[in-house]
Amino acid sequence: MTRDTPLTSIYPGSFDPITKGHEDIVTRALALCDKLIVAVASHATHVKPGLFPVDARVDMIREVFRDERRVEATSFDGLLVDFARDRGASVIVRGLRAVSDFEYEFQMALMNRQLWPGIETVFLAPDSHYSYLSSSLVREIASLGGDVSEFVSPGVHARLASRFGQPNET
Ligand code: PNS
């Protein structure tokens, strides 16, 4: 199938912080679209308390994908579908790690479509190596002195280390 206009997709989330699981989803999404906006939901939009400020999360994503010109990292306020429409994005990308993710994701996909019929949600499965990985586990392990270096990129690891101190020696 050929496209007349470039396909822009949006990968929204908390990304607190971005993990290698997220990176894997970005790489897979880039195979399907021309441009990917990795969009961090701002505090006003998203009620979960966070570890890193939204700007720092965006900076970490930019750093991880600094050599990939098709990835743009930014934050957004308000409804995701409004942001997507403003940015000319017609596809939302979400990672599905396990069946337990499905109900919430399916509900969001249908609600987003109800809010704006111009949006389609695509679910991508990560590499099975990352199916157990989440930002919340990374935060918890790092806060308790565990080593998360295999789960996040070096720049993210450095920020976690400066926040919580170096991991325990084993
Ligand atoms: O990584 P997360 O925390 O699972 O991401 C959830 C997120 C940010 C994608 C979702 O909460 C969202 O889209 N928030 C923006 C506000 C919005 O549009 N809410 C209606 C969703 S149906």
Side-chain angles (χ1 to χ4, degrees):
M1 191 183 84
T2 56
R3 287 189 289 269
D4 295 333
T5 49
L7 177 67
T8 299
S9 299
I10 186 160
Y11 180 27
S14 307
F15 302 105
D16 188 27
I18 183 167
T19 67
K20 291 205 174 163
H22 296 127
E23 292 178 35
D24 180 70
I25 295 295
V26 168
T27 304
R28 290 173 195 283
L30 285 173
L32 304 174
C33 64
D34 302 297
K35 177 180 174 160
L36 185 69
I37 302 172
V38 183
V40 181
S42 74
H43 294 309
T45 291
H46 202 41
V47 286
K48 280 189 207 165
L51 171 65
F52 290 107
V54 168
D55 286 352
R57 300 183 211 173
V58 171
D59 285 348
M60 285 186 264
I61 299 166
R62 284 189 185 140
E63 200 181 309
V64 168
F65 292 105
R66 63 187 170 279
D67 296 328
E68 179 47 81
R69 58 176 183 77
R70 293 192 296 142
V71 171
E72 175 190 340
T74 189
S75 59
F76 72 101
D77 289 313
L79 283 177
L80 174 61
V81 288
D82 290 341
F83 177 71
R85 187 167 31 203
D86 288 350
R87 295 300 313 271
S90 51
V91 174
I92 294 170
V93 171
R94 292 285 286 173
L96 266 192
R97 288 166 302 190
V99 176
S100 52
D101 285 342
F102 181 76
E103 201 169 322
Y104 168 62
E105 295 296 335
F106 191 62
Q107 189 182 16
M108 276 207 304
L110 293 182
M111 182 56 84
N112 280 325
R113 187 195 278 156
Q114 181 68 28
L115 292 170
W116 179 39
I119 200 79
E120 208 60 72
T121 299
V122 168
F123 299 117
L124 296 179
D127 186 305
S128 57
H129 187 64
Y130 300 123
S131 62
Y132 59 91
L133 183 54
S134 69
S135 295
S136 57
L137 276 181
V138 165
R139 291 195 302 272
E140 182 175 325
I141 293 164
S143 74
L144 296 172
D147 182 4
V148 292
S149 55
E150 75 177 280
F151 307 130
V152 295
S153 282
V156 177
H157 187 243
R159 287 196 196 225
L160 285 164
S162 80
R163 181 73 194 246
F164 295 120
Q166 296 302 314
N168 292 329
E169 298 290 326
T170 49

